[in-house]
């Protein structure tokens, strides 16, 4: 099946720093990638949707200037959490779908802890 | 706005029992519904995907049904095993292509050996 990787798997950073998370589709071309966030004991919430070569579409309540998304190629999307604060500590997970768009394949997630 | 509810929030049963997990959604205009498994601190494993035109899907000991008009889906697990212990997530998709998923909070399942 289709494989999606994320890097890093976990990161600890100081408040005010920026953190970049990579999401890669390893064996297929991902025309669309999605970024989700999961707080403890909460459901996964869609943050944004990105299509290769175009600007991301953010869900209501998600600050586009804080969560920068780049989808520069058909196999790579990045999420940069700028000036991270403790309330940004969460589990970030990406998914990707190919040209058919039927199924989203999820990465293993990145756990972010901001001190 | 679509809302997905999963009942129960947690379930603990002895090994070998058959069990049913429930999922309901408020907007019946969905493209498909998917059940996932999430292990602690890990990503998601897709279990079953049901298209809006389908009524059920089966994979091994798992069977998922969909009643789109009433906004309900159930995941049936037969002959449960300790390895089935995980959080089970239900998610619906409004459309294909660029539409993301709306998730429920999940059912935390423990199968006692």
């Amino acid at each position: 099946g289709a494989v999606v990787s994320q890097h890093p798997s976990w990161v600890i950073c100081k408040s005010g720093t920026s953190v970049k998370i990579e999401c890669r589709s390893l064996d297929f071309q991902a025309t669309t990638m999605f970024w989700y966030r999961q707080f403890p004991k909460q459901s996964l919430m869609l943050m944004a949707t990105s299509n290769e070569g175009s600007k991301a579409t953010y869900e209501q309540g998600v600050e586009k200037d804080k969560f920068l998304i780049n989808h520069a190629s058909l196999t790579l999307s990045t999420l940069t959490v700028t000036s991270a604060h403790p309330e940004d500590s969460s589990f970030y997970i990406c998914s990707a779908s190919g040209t058919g768009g039927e199924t989203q394949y999820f990465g293993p997630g990145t756990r972010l802890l901001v001190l | 706005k679509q809302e997905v509810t999963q009942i129960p929030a947690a379930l603990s049963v002895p090994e070998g029992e058959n069990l049913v997990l429930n999922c309901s959604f408020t907007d019946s205009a969905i493209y498909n519904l998917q059940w996932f498994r999430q292990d602690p601190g890990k990503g998601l494993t897709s279990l079953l995907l049901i298209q809006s035109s389908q009524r059920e899907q089966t994979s091994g000991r798992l069977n998922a049904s969909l009643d789109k008009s009433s906004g309900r889906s159930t995941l049936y697990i037969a002959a449960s095993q300790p390895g089935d212990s995980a959080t089970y997530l239900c998610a619906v998709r409004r459309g294909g292509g660029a539409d993301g998923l709306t998730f429920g909070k999940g059912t935390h399942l423990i199968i006692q050996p």
Side-chain angles (χ1 to χ4, degrees), chain B residues 2-3 25-32 52 66-72 92-94:
Chain B
Q2 179 74 271
E3 292 185 2
F25 45 96
T26 55
D27 186 349
S28 61
I30 64 168
Y31 183 71
N32 61 35
S52 62
L66 173 64
D67 184 342
K68 191 178 131 178
S69 61
S70 67
R72 296 182 181 185
V92 297
R93 194 171 188 185
R94 182 181 58 198

Side-chain angles (χ1 to χ4, degrees), chain A residues 36 38 43 49 101-102 104 108, chain B residues 31 38 43 51 93 99 101 104:
Chain A
Y36 295 84
Q38 184 181 35
S43 59
T49 302
E102 291 294 327
Q104 293 183 25
Chain B
Y31 183 71
Q38 184 176 28
Q51 299 292 353
R93 194 171 188 185
D99 274 4
L101 300 176

Side-chain angles (χ1 to χ4, degrees), chain B residues 49-106:
Chain B
L49 183 150
I50 311 176
Q51 299 292 353
S52 62
S53 59
Q54 296 175 323
R55 295 291 299 223
E56 66 176 341
Q57 283 285 336
T58 298
S59 176
R61 294 182 294 108
L62 305 179
N63 175 276
S65 67
L66 173 64
D67 184 342
K68 191 178 131 178
S69 61
S70 67
R72 296 182 181 185
S73 175
T74 61
L75 178 67
Y76 176 82
I77 303 176
S80 58
Q81 303 171 358
D84 295 330
S85 299
T87 296
Y88 289 79
L89 299 172
C90 170
V92 297
R93 194 171 188 185
R94 182 181 58 198
D99 274 4
L101 300 176
T102 301
F103 283 85
K105 289 186 178 181

